[in-house]
Amino acid sequence: RSDFSSAVPLLKEALTKNEACRGTHSEITIRIRENLGFAYHGLGKLNEAITELTTAAGQYKEHHPHQLAERMITLAATLAQTHEELGHVEEADHYLDETKRYLTDLQLPEEHPVRIATLNNLALVYMRRQEPEIAVGLLEECLERVEQVLGKEHHRMTTTSHNLGACYVMLERYEEAYPLYQFAWKGQSASAGSGNEWTLIWLRDLTQCAGFLGKRDEQIGYLDELIDEAHKHFGDNHYLMKWAIECHQRMWQDDPKKQADLLRRLAGEKAWANENVRALIPKGSDWRYHTGSAPLSNWRQLDFDASTWPLGKAPLGYGESDIATEIPSGLDPDQKWAGSFFRIHFSTDPDSVVQELRVKVRSDDGIAIFLNGNEIVREHLPKDVETTWQTYATREVGGIEEELY
């Protein structure tokens, strides 16, 4: 049901008990470790996923060589996908080649479930590499085989439909993407519930696709449902909620009554809807920035001297038409620098009462925000990992999402 947060503790407990009674190298124990790696991947804990999946792969090779090809084909494909998401290009290439070799060696029938799952994972790697023209053929074959072998009600139909829809969106084939997104969202909602995070992510994608096609009425309906469910299950500060509210305000920017109705419906007289809100860092502020190398280790601290860093007006970045300050991104257009660093000072009136501080930020793709040296926000970056100038985002931000605060 894509409820990975519930699956992980159960699998960890099962792994501990099986190691105790069956041993570390038991085939069942290794299979549980493999599943734990898959669950970590679904939860977005990519480094933990790599640890468990790599360990499982090594144990299969050493202790169960007769099972090697059949088990390793799925492991290798998932490891290729996970390393690609973390920006580990060499490791991703290694497991990509390994997956293709196992596919050749095994000669699995076209309808074999392992082959179908592997095609899906390979396609995700190519999508991550911005090569949708390769991924689309794999996913179209995968979807056809899933329907033939497993049936339309199988959960792989929903995930494969969504992945193919996302691939069509990358190719700007929105008419073909839309029904796939609809099917995937309805299937995910039926199996995992309307408040499941993945259900809402897919509903967001469907909302965007409706917008691309100019289906305003459908877009409004999907957006209202997304707002209601995200508000109910995750609260106002969740990234899906913030995206939905910004999208709603953009759609109804000429209708203050609609905007006011939304604020009353969601949160009453919250601080962010109150006239007494003051912008401490207004849009278009001047920021110090550093890129192209690692800054000094104390760059986050309040007393750090950033006077030697260049100064630029926001928005800062590159590759977008509305950038006010274009920052360096490296000499190779195909290998741009992964991360940049920004600093700004602000202060509040010592006699004023600050009830709440809220952060609204526009980032493409990932961001970590520090206040007086302490991390307060992290979006689309690996969790529990020290962020460096070579850390890549865990997901791509695109479409209207990259324009929203």
Side-chain angles (χ1 to χ4, degrees):
R1 301 192 325 187
S2 303
D3 187 1
F4 302 110
S5 58
S6 297
V8 164
L10 293 172
L11 287 163
K12 289 172 71 175
E13 182 182 356
L15 181 63
T16 300
K17 290 183 175 180
N18 274 273
E19 284 179 331
C21 68
R22 290 188 171 93
T24 304
H25 304 138
S26 159
E27 187 178 334
I28 294 177
T29 304
I30 301 172
R31 185 71 64 89
I32 294 170
R33 184 181 297 281
E34 180 184 348
N35 287 335
L36 178 58
F38 293 148
Y40 273 136
H41 181 269
L43 200 57
K45 294 190 172 184
L46 303 183
N47 287 293
E48 290 89 337
I50 286 175
T51 297
E52 300 300 341
L53 293 173
T54 304
T55 301
Q59 290 174 338
Y60 277 126
K61 289 178 180 179
E62 183 177 356
H63 301 285
H64 302 279
H66 62 288
Q67 290 258 19
L68 184 60
E70 186 170 339
R71 298 311 310 161
M72 276 300 298
I73 190 172
T74 307
L75 276 169
T78 307
L79 280 165
Q81 180 187 347
T82 309
H83 279 296
E84 186 68 28
E85 289 170 358
L86 286 170
H88 303 162
V89 178
E90 290 186 10
E91 293 88 342
D93 284 341
H94 166 76
Y95 284 110
L96 199 59
D97 290 340
E98 199 166 81
T99 303
K100 293 174 182 176
R101 188 178 75 249
Y102 285 127
L103 269 176
T104 302
D105 292 347
L106 274 175
Q107 292 293 306
L108 295 171
E110 290 185 348
E111 67 276 7
H112 197 289
V114 170
R115 184 177 184 276
I116 294 171
T118 303
L119 292 179
N120 183 73
N121 287 342
L122 287 177
L124 293 176
V125 174
Y126 287 118
M127 288 173 66
R128 185 78 185 178
R129 293 185 171 186
Q130 299 296 309
E131 297 177 11
E133 61 282 352
I134 299 176
V136 70
L138 296 171
L139 287 168
E140 286 174 340
E141 180 185 349
C142 185
L143 186 64
E144 181 182 351
R145 300 303 175 198
V146 169
E147 186 171 0
Q148 287 176 349
V149 178
L150 303 174
K152 270 202 158 188
E153 303 303 316
H154 196 273
H155 70 91
R156 283 201 182 277
M157 273 296 294
T158 59
T159 55
T160 308
S161 295
H162 181 269
N163 292 340
L164 181 55
C167 196
Y168 283 147
V169 167
M170 293 177 72
L171 294 166
E172 299 184 5
R173 293 162 60 176
Y174 304 122
E175 289 284 0
E176 294 167 275
Y178 191 62
L180 291 171
Y181 272 164
Q182 286 180 308
F183 175 83
W185 168 61
K186 290 176 182 177
Q188 176 72 4
S189 182
S191 64
S194 59
N196 175 269
E197 186 168 11
W198 280 105
T199 302
L200 296 182
I201 290 172
W202 291 7
L203 179 55
R204 178 201 61 192
D205 295 342
L206 176 58
T207 304
Q208 284 183 308
C209 194
F212 292 145
L213 290 169
K215 297 179 180 289
R216 184 176 172 84
D217 290 343
E218 290 92 332
Q219 186 182 20
I220 290 170
Y222 293 138
L223 186 59
D224 282 343
E225 179 156 356
L226 176 57
I227 289 172
D228 289 341
E229 293 295 336
H231 177 65
K232 183 193 310 180
H233 296 283
F234 297 103
D236 295 345
N237 289 320
H238 193 268
Y239 71 93
L240 286 169
M241 188 63 179
K242 290 188 287 185
W243 179 90
I245 290 174
E246 290 283 359
C247 188
H248 184 282
Q249 291 176 336
R250 184 183 294 268
M251 291 182 69
W252 298 107
Q253 59 184 342
D254 297 326
D255 191 337
K257 183 178 183 302
K258 286 284 188 183
Q259 295 191 36
D261 287 346
L262 174 66
L263 298 182
R264 282 195 295 271
R265 182 173 117 215
L266 293 178
E269 294 301 318
K270 287 241 176 175
W272 54 274
N274 195 298
E275 293 180 358
N276 295 324
V277 166
R278 181 164 70 91
L280 297 172
I281 307 176
K283 292 181 180 179
S285 295
D286 291 326
W287 291 73
R288 297 284 180 182
Y289 63 90
H290 175 89
T291 191
S293 64
L296 295 175
S297 60
N298 64 332
W299 75 273
R300 306 181 186 89
Q301 301 307 315
L302 183 62
D303 58 357
F304 177 77
D305 181 9
S307 60
T308 59
W309 289 16
L311 187 68
K313 190 175 295 295
L316 304 97
Y318 56 83
E320 300 292 343
S321 60
D322 63 341
I323 294 298
T325 302
E326 184 162 340
I327 65 174
S329 58
L331 299 177
D332 185 350
D334 296 322
Q335 291 290 326
K336 296 183 185 297
W337 294 329
S340 302
F341 303 82
F342 306 88
R343 281 182 58 94
I344 194 169
H345 281 277
F346 69 90
S347 59
T348 61
D349 183 346
D351 296 325
S352 66
V353 177
V354 179
Q355 294 181 321
E356 186 175 26
L357 286 175
R358 285 193 172 251
V359 177
K360 297 183 74 174
V361 61
R362 174 185 173 193
S363 61
D364 180 10
D365 297 291
I367 190 167
I369 300 176
F370 302 83
L371 177 64
N372 295 343
N374 300 305
E375 185 174 323
I376 58 171
V377 172
R378 177 175 291 240
E379 284 192 341
H380 310 150
L381 288 174
K383 297 177 182 178
D384 306 321
V385 173
E386 178 71 16
T387 304
T388 74
W389 75 286
Q390 295 176 310
T391 303
Y392 283 87
T394 55
R395 62 177 289 264
E396 183 178 352
V397 172
I400 192 174
E401 189 179 4
E402 66 185 15
E403 301 178 20
L404 301 179
Y405 286 82

